[in-house]
Amino acid sequence: MRIAGSIAVALGFLGAATASLHPRSSDTRDFFALHLDDATSPSHVAQLLGARHEGPIGELVGHHTFSLPRDQNLDSVLADLKQKRKLKRRSESESAIHEDALDGILWSHRLDAPRQRLHKRLPPHLPSVDLTPRADKKPEQAAVAAQKDIMSTLDIRDPIFKEQWHLYNTVRPEHSLNVTGLWLEGVTGHGVVTAIIDDGLDLHSKDLSPNYYPEGSWDYNAHSPEPLPQLVDDRHGTRCAGEVAASKNNICGVGVAYDSKIAGIRILSAPIDDHDEAESLNYAFQHNDIYSCSWGPMDDGQTMEGPGVLIRRAMVNGVQKGRKGKGSVFVFAAGNGAPYGDNCNFDGYTNSIYSITVGAIDWRGKHGVYSEACSAQLVVTYSTGSGEAIHTTDVGANQCTPLHGGTSAAGPLVAGTSALVLSVRPDLTWRDVQYLFVETAVPVNEKDGSWQTTSSGRKFSHTWGFGKVDAYAVVQRAREWELVKPQAWFHSPWQRVHHEIPQGQKGLISRYTVTADQLKEANFERLEHVTVTMNVNHTRRGDLSVELRSPGGVVSHLSVTRDRDEEPVGYVDWTFMSVAHWGESAVGVWTVIVKDTEVNDFSGVFTDWRLNLWGEAIDGDNQPLLPLPTEHDDDHPFEAAHVATTSIEPGPVQTNPPAGPEDHIDRPMKKPPPPKPTDPSPVEDVVMPSPATNATNATASPTSTDESKLSPYLPSFGASKMTQVWIYASLGMIIIFCIGLGIYFQISRLKRRRTNPHDDYEFEMIEDEDELQPMTGGSRTRRGGELYNAFAGESDDEVFSDADDDGPYRDRLANVQEEDEDAAEKASPGTGLLSEKR
Ligand SMILES: *[C@@H]1O[C@H](CO)[C@@H](O)[C@H](O)[C@H]1NC(C)=O
Ligand SMILES: *[C@@H]1O[C@H](CO)[C@@H](O)[C@H](O)[C@H]1NC(C)=O
Ligand SMILES: *[C@@H]1O[C@H](CO)[C@@H](O)[C@H](O)[C@H]1NC(C)=O
Ligand SMILES: *[C@@H]1O[C@H](CO)[C@@H](O)[C@H](O)[C@H]1NC(C)=O
């Protein structure tokens, strides 16, 4: 009996495995993506390469997947063909078609085997949510009456609507999405489709089936048209879908946009490769308007992972071609790694300029203890905390859950709000939608020390983004919104730094000055996103932090230290993103400060960086579309960088005369002055205030005041070849000029090795009050390349309770003091997360 049972189970597994066998899973073949020009057909390319054409890659025009037997290598096949062609140039018999096919290959990219992305993990030992009624959950009678009115006016008979505090909060009326006023105006999401990219969508749920949109749905795990939940824990997508578009009926509750349509795209329940993931992000993108994504790389505080280049191409393709050229709206949950010191700038999805990154606030207005902060976070909205969670639809014909949560539950509320926005203004572009959230977000907990007033007059916090979403305000703003002009960009040359990073709270400063002429040349009018791509070679990545300061003095903490991150690589071509500079003037000095915060055996070198500004074009009619991304953008010019270091120690009192104006830090390093290394050079005590502790204005910004003090500057050894030339010249080493370059380099290397960076007189000493953080160092289990849903787990006891939130910053700059609204609440247990970490 038992044996028979086991066999049945085994057969069942076998059956399931066969059903979900990946079409491109093979031990014997290698798969690669090619981008072909319009004139080149994939069959000709296949013939030419001796490869098998596996099929087009979704909506990426000209992109196809091919495969070769594993013993053949695409690069050598291509090289062979080019060589043969060269030899046969004179031969008229060579097929013209084949030649064209070879030239028609614009780009190639090897595809990794499908990766396991089934890690819906909740960080362990989470306290469970407390759903017992408490004194502080007494509803306000006026709110209860108003809610009753709304329900009767709109004929809402959904049994759990009254529990859906995120839609109407009778206990804390100020804490909800503020959406019911829109419903009363008839704004319910009609005509808009949101695709939930997740672990499935129960299209047979009676709460979802009325709004289910089959044409926008696909199952990339089972390779079938219906994204049905199949695994026991495939509940997450269904719950998210209910938040967006559960219909107004007598089942469970309602969605934010309860007359909008909902599609399901299933990718999280089995390994998938980049081909499928790229396809999923563009799936039916003329019908699916919004893509709600509550997942990402592991939020374990040690992963630094982003979408591969094919997936990044799909995202660019989505915003350029989706929604008939208006652009797909991507919404991403910020991530639940805050207890592990994680930060959403280490996640290449949440820090993409194409995604609206959403963090969590709870029903009492407190920050979700799990919710990651970062400079790429746009807004926050409601989810778990303070003993409550999101009440929504669950898997089953008539099933609800009171326990949906994490940032996973916050993202879909913004997706639903976006559906309301697009139902009123379908002509808005993806950037207009981002603008509307930026413009209407409501700052919360403004006294928590995390807010900066930017020079554009907006407030920004790494913890809260621009604030919490007010659905009513977003939609009203959308009604009158004037469309922004197309996107323009400005890329600085790569800034070559190649300098050791001093340890401790010293930092290495590099600056780049953007001129008005450069922006004009780039057809660049108004700043939106800023990205910094950088390389830092370091033996313990978690020790590093990076700040970006704008000309207006606004500070972005692009990167923060992470106790658990022991990866011995530093940052490799990583792009950090910030929305904090939205609307600022981009003209002036942009400063990057890289710190190696721990004095220990781990050290590194700041290699290079590059500033990228994204915004609105001056002349929209003559603005081309951004080219699709490639693996590396090394083909751009390099130039030597401005370099200096900072220190937290109050520097010695200035005794030496400052260097002349020609030594000012802002002068281009391309033509450095001959420094005088033999002179005792001044070390100025320059205070760089901790910026997030107070508002900063363009006129009264820390950086602009500091700038005037940053006068003595001498370029460091190793800063650039030019600099070294000058140093050697001024040392009187005339012989350097007489011998070959090779010898020059050898000496240069020797010299650099002898130079103790701490003795470098030419560095500015800048006061900084950052506290050293104790290193707790977690176990090092790297799980790169895995996606998991951002709330993970989903078993019903795995919801967070509130705890005072320290935020993800080890830096004290953004430490957030929760408002103690309620002493009893504060005294309640529930700090397990943080105490466990510590
Ligand atoms: C919510 O929406 C209403 C309109 O229905 C608006 O008057 C109000 O100011 C909004 N905000 C809050 C916090 O209620
Ligand atoms: C990083 O530094 C180490 C040690 O100095 C060196 O071996 C390695 O090649 C460097 N890596 C890169 C990418 O520069
Ligand atoms: C912040 O700036 C205001 C002036 O706008 C000042 O009064 C206040 O003391 C500052 N707070 C801190 C913490 O520096
Ligand atoms: C910022 O500027 C505004 C006016 O532009 C001023 O009222 C405010 O006090 C300034 N804040 C700081 C911190 O300087």
Side-chain angles (χ1 to χ4, degrees):
M1 229 19 223
R2 187 176 288 174
I3 291 170
S6 306
I7 290 170
V9 168
L11 284 175
F13 272 121
L14 208 63
T18 314
S20 62
L21 194 65
H22 195 271
R24 288 181 299 279
S25 62
S26 162
D27 292 338
T28 54
R29 298 186 78 79
D30 272 338
F31 296 84
F32 51 93
L34 295 182
H35 183 195
L36 310 179
D37 70 14
D38 294 345
T40 306
S41 89
S43 56
H44 287 147
V45 171
Q47 208 179 329
L48 178 71
L49 301 178
R52 190 163 81 201
H53 180 215
E54 303 283 344
I57 304 174
E59 300 287 348
L60 275 164
V61 172
H63 289 64
H64 298 265
T65 293
F66 296 84
S67 69
L68 278 169
R70 187 145 281 185
D71 57 4
Q72 292 177 41
N73 170 292
L74 175 65
D75 290 335
S76 48
V77 169
L78 285 174
D80 276 0
L81 284 165
K82 280 177 186 160
Q83 185 62 27
K84 269 188 208 147
R85 184 171 68 176
K86 221 182 249 170
L87 296 175
K88 289 188 185 170
R89 260 277 140 74
R90 282 150 282 156
S91 157
E92 292 301 311
S93 64
E94 180 72 357
S95 160
I97 286 169
H98 284 189
E99 287 210 10
D100 290 349
L102 197 53
D103 290 336
I105 299 174
L106 304 174
W107 174 83
S108 70
H109 176 68
R110 192 177 180 280
L111 291 173
D112 290 330
R115 284 172 294 162
Q116 179 57 262
R117 290 160 193 253
L118 234 176
H119 299 271
K120 302 181 198 177
R121 284 187 198 140
L122 201 63
H125 311 307
L126 285 167
S128 57
V129 72
D130 170 17
L131 288 172
T132 55
R134 282 189 312 222
D136 67 343
K137 285 192 185 174
K138 279 250 166 64
E140 288 182 14
Q141 286 318 305
V144 172
Q147 185 188 41
K148 205 171 170 189
D149 271 0
I150 290 164
M151 289 177 71
S152 98
T153 308
L154 295 170
D155 194 24
I156 294 176
R157 279 170 294 173
D158 297 70
I160 69 161
F161 177 69
K162 284 184 183 167
E163 296 164 30
Q164 293 188 300
W165 57 267
H166 64 282
L167 299 173
Y168 199 96
N169 190 340
T170 52
V171 181
R172 297 287 179 96
E174 72 278 18
H175 285 302
S176 83
L177 203 51
N178 200 24
V179 69
T180 53
L182 293 171
W183 299 343
L184 292 168
E185 290 177 12
V187 180
T188 53
H190 204 83
V192 180
V193 186
T194 302
I196 306 290
I197 304 184
D198 212 290
D199 63 7
L201 189 155
D202 188 357
L203 42 121
H204 301 312
S205 157
K206 287 181 185 160
D207 212 10
L208 297 178
S209 58
N211 288 333
Y212 178 63
Y213 188 72
E215 294 84 349
S217 302
W218 192 259
D219 187 337
Y220 283 97
N221 292 146
H223 307 285
S224 73
E226 292 197 336
L228 280 169
Q230 291 178 21
L231 310 178
V232 276
D233 62 347
D234 281 352
R235 295 171 169 272
H236 186 257
T238 302
R239 293 172 173 188
C240 292
E243 291 183 87
V244 177
S247 47
K248 184 161 72 71
N249 53 13
N250 55 356
I251 311 287
C252 291
V254 295
V256 173
Y258 56 70
D259 283 330
S260 67
K261 296 289 181 206
I262 192 85
I265 297 172
R266 187 163 176 260
I267 67 165
L268 296 178
S269 302
I272 69 166
D273 64 6
D274 282 10
H275 173 124
D276 278 353
E277 195 185 327
E279 268 196 35
S280 74
L281 287 164
N282 288 163
Y283 191 78
F285 70 0
Q286 301 311 346
H287 301 276
N288 291 334
D289 302 300
I290 299 154
Y291 294 83
S292 183
C293 307
S294 291
W295 42 264
M298 288 298 286
D299 294 331
D300 53 9
Q302 56 195 23
T303 300
M304 189 169 197
E305 272 274 327
V309 67
L310 190 61
I311 296 157
R312 283 188 281 130
R313 285 190 163 210
M315 289 184 85
V316 173
N317 195 46
V319 299
Q320 292 184 348
K321 303 216 180 95
R323 227 160 41 87
K324 301 183 178 66
K326 294 294 183 179
S328 306
V329 175
F330 294 106
V331 178
F332 273 85
N336 295 346
Y340 305 115
D342 216 339
N343 173 287
C344 38
N345 238 329
F346 291 82
D347 170 340
Y349 295 87
T350 49
N351 87 359
S352 162
I353 64 170
Y354 307 113
S355 59
I356 296 174
T357 295
V358 184
I361 179 174
D362 72 24
W363 71 282
R364 297 198 320 166
K366 300 179 88 177
H367 191 247
V369 292
Y370 47 85
S371 187
E372 294 175 27
C374 70
S375 59
Q377 176 171 232
L378 204 71
V379 286
V380 294
T381 194
Y382 292 98
S383 187
T384 10
S386 298
E388 261 294 1
I390 298 294
H391 300 243
T392 180
T393 315
D394 208 347
V395 172
N398 184 2
Q399 295 295 312
C400 327
T401 176
L403 290 167
H404 188 39
T407 53
S408 269
L413 298 182
V414 169
T417 305
S418 303
L420 298 175
V421 167
L422 292 182
S423 73
V424 169
R425 285 289 304 274
D427 60 322
L428 298 176
T429 70
W430 65 278
R431 281 168 48 247
D432 291 307
V433 175
Q434 291 201 12
Y435 264 101
L436 288 166
F437 283 112
V438 169
E439 296 260 325
T440 60
V442 182
V444 287
N445 294 347
E446 288 183 65
K447 289 181 206 126
D448 70 2
S450 74
W451 291 90
Q452 299 178 69
T453 300
T454 74
S455 52
S456 68
R458 289 190 187 88
K459 290 191 165 174
F460 180 82
S461 154
H462 290 72
T463 312
W464 309 98
F466 287 98
K468 67 165 183 165
V469 172
D470 179 331
Y472 191 82
V474 187
V475 172
Q476 299 314 328
R477 197 71 205 276
R479 292 183 196 273
E480 66 201 27
W481 184 254
E482 208 172 298
L483 296 181
V484 294
K485 290 178 280 183
Q487 187 188 42
W489 56 87
F490 168 77
H491 300 308
S492 79
W494 277 97
Q495 300 297 296
R496 240 194 255 273
V497 178
H498 291 280
H499 197 289
E500 271 173 60
I501 307 163
Q503 288 204 336
Q505 286 300 324
K506 287 191 165 195
L508 193 60
I509 292 183
S510 182
R511 291 180 161 85
Y512 181 78
T513 304
V514 175
T515 67
D517 284 347
Q518 281 175 319
L519 295 183
K520 207 170 152 197
E521 177 84 5
N523 193 27
F524 190 102
E525 184 168 284
R526 184 157 59 147
L527 185 59
E528 294 160 11
H529 311 84
V530 178
T531 59
V532 170
T533 305
M534 64 195 306
N535 289 286
V536 174
N537 189 358
H538 197 279
T539 50
R540 192 178 188 281
R541 189 168 64 195
D543 290 357
L544 294 166
S545 76
V546 182
E547 256 177 64
L548 173 70
R549 297 184 180 212
S550 70
V554 175
V555 177
S556 290
H557 295 280
L558 296 180
S559 163
V560 296
T561 58
R562 299 196 300 173
D563 289 348
R564 292 172 158 241
D565 183 359
E566 304 191 352
E567 198 65 22
V569 295
Y571 307 143
V572 182
D573 256 328
W574 185 260
T575 299
F576 292 109
M577 195 270 271
S578 176
V579 294
H581 307 285
W582 202 285
E584 274 198 87
S585 165
V587 175
V589 181
W590 290 84
T591 306
V592 165
I593 304 169
V594 177
K595 287 183 189 170
D596 180 356
T597 56
E598 302 286 343
V599 181
N600 54 18
D601 292 342
F602 303 108
S603 61
V605 169
F606 182 7
T607 310
D608 52 25
W609 68 286
R610 168 174 217 218
L611 178 74
N612 309 288
L613 307 174
W614 308 89
E616 188 178 18
I618 299 168
D619 176 3
D621 296 333
N622 287 306
Q623 175 60 45
L625 285 176
L626 187 74
L628 292 177
T630 52
E631 273 86 349
H632 304 288
D633 54 354
D634 293 339
D635 51 336
H636 293 273
F638 273 85
E639 67 181 34
H642 303 269
V643 190
T645 61
T646 70
S647 166
I648 51 160
E649 295 91 30
V653 175
Q654 172 70 50
T655 49
N656 294 301
E662 72 273 13
D663 284 337
H664 192 270
I665 188 130
D666 290 336
R667 189 225 335 249
M669 283 284 297
K670 273 179 166 173
K671 292 168 196 161
K676 299 168 199 156
T678 49
D679 290 350
S681 191
V683 178
E684 197 165 352
D685 176 18
V686 178
V687 181
M688 273 203 149
S690 307
T693 56
N694 209 347
T696 55
N697 279 351
T699 48
S701 72
T703 300
S704 51
T705 47
D706 295 343
E707 216 67 274
S708 59
K709 297 190 198 170
L710 302 175
S711 53
Y713 171 71
L714 290 168
S716 77
F717 278 1
S720 76
K721 283 175 209 153
M722 279 305 289
T723 310
Q724 287 161 20
V725 169
W726 281 111
I727 289 169
Y728 288 112
S730 63
L731 280 171
M733 298 170 76
I734 293 157
I735 192 163
I736 289 295
F737 295 99
C738 311
I739 57 178
L741 251 183
I743 296 168
Y744 161 71
F745 275 121
Q746 270 185 356
I747 291 176
S748 138
R749 213 172 296 137
L750 271 172
K751 187 84 190 171
R752 209 178 315 166
R753 212 173 292 153
R754 282 203 303 265
T755 307
N756 180 349
H758 296 273
D759 298 338
D760 280 357
Y761 48 82
E762 69 268 27
F763 296 147
E764 305 157 71
M765 306 295 282
I766 296 175
E767 186 172 324
D768 187 324
E769 302 145 28
D770 287 5
E771 290 162 10
L772 283 170
Q773 293 290 327
M775 235 177 60
T776 58
S779 63
R780 211 179 130 227
T781 47
R782 183 167 155 71
R783 308 179 189 89
E786 294 163 351
L787 301 179
Y788 86 120
N789 77 62
F791 183 47
E794 294 303 322
S795 70
D796 285 353
D797 55 335
E798 291 173 326
V799 182
F800 308 91
S801 88
D802 74 302
D804 279 356
D805 170 47
D806 270 359
Y809 291 102
R810 296 280 123 341
D811 271 67
R812 73 172 189 81
L813 302 182
N815 266 355
V816 176
Q817 295 302 316
E818 288 293 339
E819 271 178 69
D820 295 334
E821 292 183 23
D822 180 342
E825 183 65 28
K826 202 191 175 199
S828 77
T831 49
L833 277 179
L834 297 169
S835 48
E836 192 231 346
K837 182 180 64 88
R838 287 167 185 168

